[in-house]
Amino acid sequence: MKENRTDYIIIGIDDSREPSLTNEARKAIASGRVFSGGKRHHDIVAGMLPKDSRWIDITVPLDNVFAEYADTDDTIVIFASGDPLFFGFAATILKRIPTARIKTMPALNSLQTLAHRLLMPYHDMQTVTLTGRPWHELDAALIRRASKIGILTDRNHTPATIAQRMLEYGYDNYDMHIGQLLGNDNGERVVTMTLDDAAGYEAAMPNCVIVTAREKRKITIPVPDEAFLTLPGRPLMITKAAIRHITLASLELQQRQSMWDIGFCTGSVSIEARQQFPHLHVTAFETRSECEEIIKANAHRLGTPGIEVAMGDFLAADTSACRPPDAVFIGGHGGHLREIVSKAAQAMTGGGVMTYNCVAVETTSDPRIPTDSMEIFHRSAVEAGMTVEQPLRVAINSYHPINILKARKK
């Protein structure tokens, strides 16, 4: 594709069949020769375009669209929804062509329009987009207990599926406001309802959503041990709250993006990590089949959506589709600590951190605890190209002291 030297004028419009345009926007249209936008935009503005003008549909794959843009030396007038810099097409152009010459003529974005219809101040609103994206940002906003969340939707992430997900994880303390066909003179509709009602509501497209909390859902950090369901008959089979807190601090999660929890058991470390650091992508691995229902139940009861659960032997798992970790916690190894350290370290990004907690060997005669696990971890980490840091020894009440081991990838 040749170097793009095209000028772009991006005009924001709503769904009105007769959009309100500034004189500047009208002049740009009158003098334009090449225009672009989605099919919906073309349906709205087709009658305004000069005769013999060229239209470039914005459809996926976008590589084809930008190839067409590059093949013209004319200024391209693009129509976009609302504010083209608000999760909009101007941001897409800047990402692909950082030196692009762009002039924007924005309208209110859909969430601003909905807020105005509701007479709702929105300076304190957290905004997320689910348009062509996974649930992660909405999940994070819920875990942060945001009181007002504006959500851009698509055909998979509808008001109904959003309400269903919120209810699934116990966030029933919100009401939902749905704006449909905003700006459309005939079809616009704004409704407010409970999440129970929204879960069965079929909204017209396009739409957007604002959810507002009636009251704040409480959260306790660290999560008390008694809040977790545990393995039947093994109530002590959990990383204790104080140890979790110190372990997560050692992983430096405030500056990490992806954590692997290998041997999650009850899921306490994964859940605590998401609760304290909602931005974090967490993938949890476990070989014991009964633990799958336990982590899911704990995640639901503690309002922690978004943990990716991978069941089966970690050493046999295909992790190529998993987000590469920059933090790894080894909660269990089944006698294969060396192999797990090696595989996890290979997947880890540079500068990443790995921790492993082991019981101080001189305090226990339990034959299931290898007496040389500290040495195995140290040697395995060095072999994997990591730097081992000074262990931290922690004793909680009458429990056996724990050594928190830490290694960093170069």
mmCIF file with all atom_site columns, all heavy atoms in Angstrom, residues 15 17 76 109 152 167 192 258 292 328 366 396:
data_model
loop_
_atom_site.group_PDB
_atom_site.id
_atom_site.type_symbol
_atom_site.label_atom_id
_atom_site.label_alt_id
_atom_site.label_comp_id
_atom_site.label_asym_id
_atom_site.label_entity_id
_atom_site.label_seq_id
_atom_site.pdbx_PDB_ins_code
_atom_site.Cartn_x
_atom_site.Cartn_y
_atom_site.Cartn_z
_atom_site.occupancy
_atom_site.B_iso_or_equiv
_atom_site.pdbx_formal_charge
_atom_site.auth_seq_id
_atom_site.auth_comp_id
_atom_site.auth_asym_id
_atom_site.auth_atom_id
_atom_site.pdbx_PDB_model_num
ATOM 1  N N   . ASP A 1 15  ? -28.722 9.456   14.511 1.00 0.00 ? 15  ASP A N   1
ATOM 2  C CA  . ASP A 1 15  ? -29.597 8.645   13.663 1.00 0.00 ? 15  ASP A CA  1
ATOM 3  C C   . ASP A 1 15  ? -30.767 9.427   13.065 1.00 0.00 ? 15  ASP A C   1
ATOM 4  O O   . ASP A 1 15  ? -31.670 8.829   12.474 1.00 0.00 ? 15  ASP A O   1
ATOM 5  C CB  . ASP A 1 15  ? -30.136 7.447   14.449 1.00 0.00 ? 15  ASP A CB  1
ATOM 6  C CG  . ASP A 1 15  ? -29.185 6.262   14.399 1.00 0.00 ? 15  ASP A CG  1
ATOM 7  O OD1 . ASP A 1 15  ? -28.576 6.047   13.342 1.00 0.00 ? 15  ASP A OD1 1
ATOM 8  O OD2 . ASP A 1 15  ? -29.051 5.569   15.417 1.00 0.00 ? 15  ASP A OD2 1
ATOM 9  N N   . ARG A 1 17  ? -32.949 11.321  10.476 1.00 0.00 ? 17  ARG A N   1
ATOM 10 C CA  . ARG A 1 17  ? -33.003 11.281  9.008  1.00 0.00 ? 17  ARG A CA  1
ATOM 11 C C   . ARG A 1 17  ? -32.632 12.622  8.405  1.00 0.00 ? 17  ARG A C   1
ATOM 12 O O   . ARG A 1 17  ? -32.293 12.711  7.226  1.00 0.00 ? 17  ARG A O   1
ATOM 13 C CB  . ARG A 1 17  ? -34.412 10.905  8.546  1.00 0.00 ? 17  ARG A CB  1
ATOM 14 C CG  . ARG A 1 17  ? -34.911 9.547   9.008  1.00 0.00 ? 17  ARG A CG  1
ATOM 15 C CD  . ARG A 1 17  ? -34.060 8.400   8.477  1.00 0.00 ? 17  ARG A CD  1
ATOM 16 N NE  . ARG A 1 17  ? -33.059 7.955   9.439  1.00 0.00 ? 17  ARG A NE  1
ATOM 17 C CZ  . ARG A 1 17  ? -32.194 6.970   9.202  1.00 0.00 ? 17  ARG A CZ  1
ATOM 18 N NH1 . ARG A 1 17  ? -32.206 6.343   8.042  1.00 0.00 ? 17  ARG A NH1 1
ATOM 19 N NH2 . ARG A 1 17  ? -31.314 6.630   10.122 1.00 0.00 ? 17  ARG A NH2 1
ATOM 20 N N   . ILE A 1 76  ? -10.966 12.963  1.880  1.00 0.00 ? 76  ILE A N   1
ATOM 21 C CA  . ILE A 1 76  ? -12.055 12.012  2.120  1.00 0.00 ? 76  ILE A CA  1
ATOM 22 C C   . ILE A 1 76  ? -12.922 12.547  3.255  1.00 0.00 ? 76  ILE A C   1
ATOM 23 O O   . ILE A 1 76  ? -12.426 12.831  4.352  1.00 0.00 ? 76  ILE A O   1
ATOM 24 C CB  . ILE A 1 76  ? -11.514 10.616  2.478  1.00 0.00 ? 76  ILE A CB  1
ATOM 25 C CG1 . ILE A 1 76  ? -10.633 10.080  1.338  1.00 0.00 ? 76  ILE A CG1 1
ATOM 26 C CG2 . ILE A 1 76  ? -12.666 9.656   2.755  1.00 0.00 ? 76  ILE A CG2 1
ATOM 27 C CD1 . ILE A 1 76  ? -9.995  8.746   1.640  1.00 0.00 ? 76  ILE A CD1 1
ATOM 28 N N   . ASN A 1 109 ? -21.813 12.075  21.371 1.00 0.00 ? 109 ASN A N   1
ATOM 29 C CA  . ASN A 1 109 ? -21.806 10.618  21.224 1.00 0.00 ? 109 ASN A CA  1
ATOM 30 C C   . ASN A 1 109 ? -23.083 10.043  21.832 1.00 0.00 ? 109 ASN A C   1
ATOM 31 O O   . ASN A 1 109 ? -23.844 10.735  22.516 1.00 0.00 ? 109 ASN A O   1
ATOM 32 C CB  . ASN A 1 109 ? -20.536 10.008  21.826 1.00 0.00 ? 109 ASN A CB  1
ATOM 33 C CG  . ASN A 1 109 ? -20.454 10.170  23.326 1.00 0.00 ? 109 ASN A CG  1
ATOM 34 O OD1 . ASN A 1 109 ? -21.332 9.736   24.067 1.00 0.00 ? 109 ASN A OD1 1
ATOM 35 N ND2 . ASN A 1 109 ? -19.377 10.794  23.805 1.00 0.00 ? 109 ASN A ND2 1
ATOM 36 N N   . LEU A 1 152 ? -21.211 0.927   25.539 1.00 0.00 ? 152 LEU A N   1
ATOM 37 C CA  . LEU A 1 152 ? -21.497 0.811   24.116 1.00 0.00 ? 152 LEU A CA  1
ATOM 38 C C   . LEU A 1 152 ? -21.690 -0.664  23.791 1.00 0.00 ? 152 LEU A C   1
ATOM 39 O O   . LEU A 1 152 ? -20.890 -1.507  24.191 1.00 0.00 ? 152 LEU A O   1
ATOM 40 C CB  . LEU A 1 152 ? -20.354 1.405   23.288 1.00 0.00 ? 152 LEU A CB  1
ATOM 41 C CG  . LEU A 1 152 ? -20.081 2.905   23.510 1.00 0.00 ? 152 LEU A CG  1
ATOM 42 C CD1 . LEU A 1 152 ? -18.897 3.358   22.667 1.00 0.00 ? 152 LEU A CD1 1
ATOM 43 C CD2 . LEU A 1 152 ? -21.318 3.732   23.177 1.00 0.00 ? 152 LEU A CD2 1
ATOM 44 N N   . LEU A 1 167 ? -26.456 -9.866  36.695 1.00 0.00 ? 167 LEU A N   1
ATOM 45 C CA  . LEU A 1 167 ? -27.226 -10.645 37.678 1.00 0.00 ? 167 LEU A CA  1
ATOM 46 C C   . LEU A 1 167 ? -26.509 -11.934 38.047 1.00 0.00 ? 167 LEU A C   1
ATOM 47 O O   . LEU A 1 167 ? -26.536 -12.373 39.211 1.00 0.00 ? 167 LEU A O   1
ATOM 48 C CB  . LEU A 1 167 ? -28.614 -10.960 37.110 1.00 0.00 ? 167 LEU A CB  1
ATOM 49 C CG  . LEU A 1 167 ? -29.575 -9.779  36.973 1.00 0.00 ? 167 LEU A CG  1
ATOM 50 C CD1 . LEU A 1 167 ? -30.812 -10.191 36.201 1.00 0.00 ? 167 LEU A CD1 1
ATOM 51 C CD2 . LEU A 1 167 ? -29.952 -9.232  38.346 1.00 0.00 ? 167 LEU A CD2 1
ATOM 52 N N   . THR A 1 192 ? -36.147 2.934   31.198 1.00 0.00 ? 192 THR A N   1
ATOM 53 C CA  . THR A 1 192 ? -35.419 2.626   32.432 1.00 0.00 ? 192 THR A CA  1
ATOM 54 C C   . THR A 1 192 ? -36.101 1.448   33.099 1.00 0.00 ? 192 THR A C   1
ATOM 55 O O   . THR A 1 192 ? -37.340 1.418   33.201 1.00 0.00 ? 192 THR A O   1
ATOM 56 C CB  . THR A 1 192 ? -35.408 3.845   33.375 1.00 0.00 ? 192 THR A CB  1
ATOM 57 O OG1 . THR A 1 192 ? -34.676 4.912   32.769 1.00 0.00 ? 192 THR A OG1 1
ATOM 58 C CG2 . THR A 1 192 ? -34.750 3.487   34.705 1.00 0.00 ? 192 THR A CG2 1
ATOM 59 N N   . SER A 1 258 ? -1.259  -9.580  32.942 1.00 0.00 ? 258 SER A N   1
ATOM 60 C CA  . SER A 1 258 ? -1.778  -10.942 32.823 1.00 0.00 ? 258 SER A CA  1
ATOM 61 C C   . SER A 1 258 ? -1.137  -11.843 33.870 1.00 0.00 ? 258 SER A C   1
ATOM 62 O O   . SER A 1 258 ? 0.092   -11.918 33.959 1.00 0.00 ? 258 SER A O   1
ATOM 63 C CB  . SER A 1 258 ? -1.487  -11.485 31.418 1.00 0.00 ? 258 SER A CB  1
ATOM 64 O OG  . SER A 1 258 ? -1.828  -12.858 31.313 1.00 0.00 ? 258 SER A OG  1
ATOM 65 N N   . GLU A 1 292 ? -13.344 -27.098 39.498 1.00 0.00 ? 292 GLU A N   1
ATOM 66 C CA  . GLU A 1 292 ? -13.944 -26.199 38.504 1.00 0.00 ? 292 GLU A CA  1
ATOM 67 C C   . GLU A 1 292 ? -15.220 -25.564 39.049 1.00 0.00 ? 292 GLU A C   1
ATOM 68 O O   . GLU A 1 292 ? -15.417 -24.352 38.943 1.00 0.00 ? 292 GLU A O   1
ATOM 69 C CB  . GLU A 1 292 ? -14.233 -26.953 37.209 1.00 0.00 ? 292 GLU A CB  1
ATOM 70 C CG  . GLU A 1 292 ? -14.809 -26.047 36.122 1.00 0.00 ? 292 GLU A CG  1
ATOM 71 C CD  . GLU A 1 292 ? -14.953 -26.754 34.779 1.00 0.00 ? 292 GLU A CD  1
ATOM 72 O OE1 . GLU A 1 292 ? -14.843 -28.001 34.742 1.00 0.00 ? 292 GLU A OE1 1
ATOM 73 O OE2 . GLU A 1 292 ? -15.169 -26.058 33.777 1.00 0.00 ? 292 GLU A OE2 1
ATOM 74 N N   . VAL A 1 328 ? 3.142   -14.954 37.475 1.00 0.00 ? 328 VAL A N   1
ATOM 75 C CA  . VAL A 1 328 ? 2.748   -16.359 37.619 1.00 0.00 ? 328 VAL A CA  1
ATOM 76 C C   . VAL A 1 328 ? 2.803   -16.726 39.093 1.00 0.00 ? 328 VAL A C   1
ATOM 77 O O   . VAL A 1 328 ? 3.806   -16.469 39.775 1.00 0.00 ? 328 VAL A O   1
ATOM 78 C CB  . VAL A 1 328 ? 3.681   -17.300 36.824 1.00 0.00 ? 328 VAL A CB  1
ATOM 79 C CG1 . VAL A 1 328 ? 3.370   -18.763 37.157 1.00 0.00 ? 328 VAL A CG1 1
ATOM 80 C CG2 . VAL A 1 328 ? 3.548   -17.061 35.324 1.00 0.00 ? 328 VAL A CG2 1
ATOM 81 N N   . ASP A 1 366 ? 5.140   -33.887 57.091 1.00 0.00 ? 366 ASP A N   1
ATOM 82 C CA  . ASP A 1 366 ? 4.181   -34.352 56.082 1.00 0.00 ? 366 ASP A CA  1
ATOM 83 C C   . ASP A 1 366 ? 4.953   -34.902 54.890 1.00 0.00 ? 366 ASP A C   1
ATOM 84 O O   . ASP A 1 366 ? 5.678   -34.162 54.215 1.00 0.00 ? 366 ASP A O   1
ATOM 85 C CB  . ASP A 1 366 ? 3.285   -33.190 55.645 1.00 0.00 ? 366 ASP A CB  1
ATOM 86 C CG  . ASP A 1 366 ? 2.119   -33.655 54.771 1.00 0.00 ? 366 ASP A CG  1
ATOM 87 O OD1 . ASP A 1 366 ? 2.238   -34.733 54.154 1.00 0.00 ? 366 ASP A OD1 1
ATOM 88 O OD2 . ASP A 1 366 ? 1.114   -32.932 54.701 1.00 0.00 ? 366 ASP A OD2 1
ATOM 89 N N   . ILE A 1 396 ? 1.825   -17.382 60.348 1.00 0.00 ? 396 ILE A N   1
ATOM 90 C CA  . ILE A 1 396 ? 0.498   -16.899 60.709 1.00 0.00 ? 396 ILE A CA  1
ATOM 91 C C   . ILE A 1 396 ? -0.072  -17.782 61.810 1.00 0.00 ? 396 ILE A C   1
ATOM 92 O O   . ILE A 1 396 ? -0.280  -18.984 61.606 1.00 0.00 ? 396 ILE A O   1
ATOM 93 C CB  . ILE A 1 396 ? -0.457  -16.915 59.493 1.00 0.00 ? 396 ILE A CB  1
ATOM 94 C CG1 . ILE A 1 396 ? 0.139   -16.122 58.334 1.00 0.00 ? 396 ILE A CG1 1
ATOM 95 C CG2 . ILE A 1 396 ? -1.827  -16.387 59.876 1.00 0.00 ? 396 ILE A CG2 1
ATOM 96 C CD1 . ILE A 1 396 ? 0.278   -14.647 58.595 1.00 0.00 ? 396 ILE A CD1 1
#
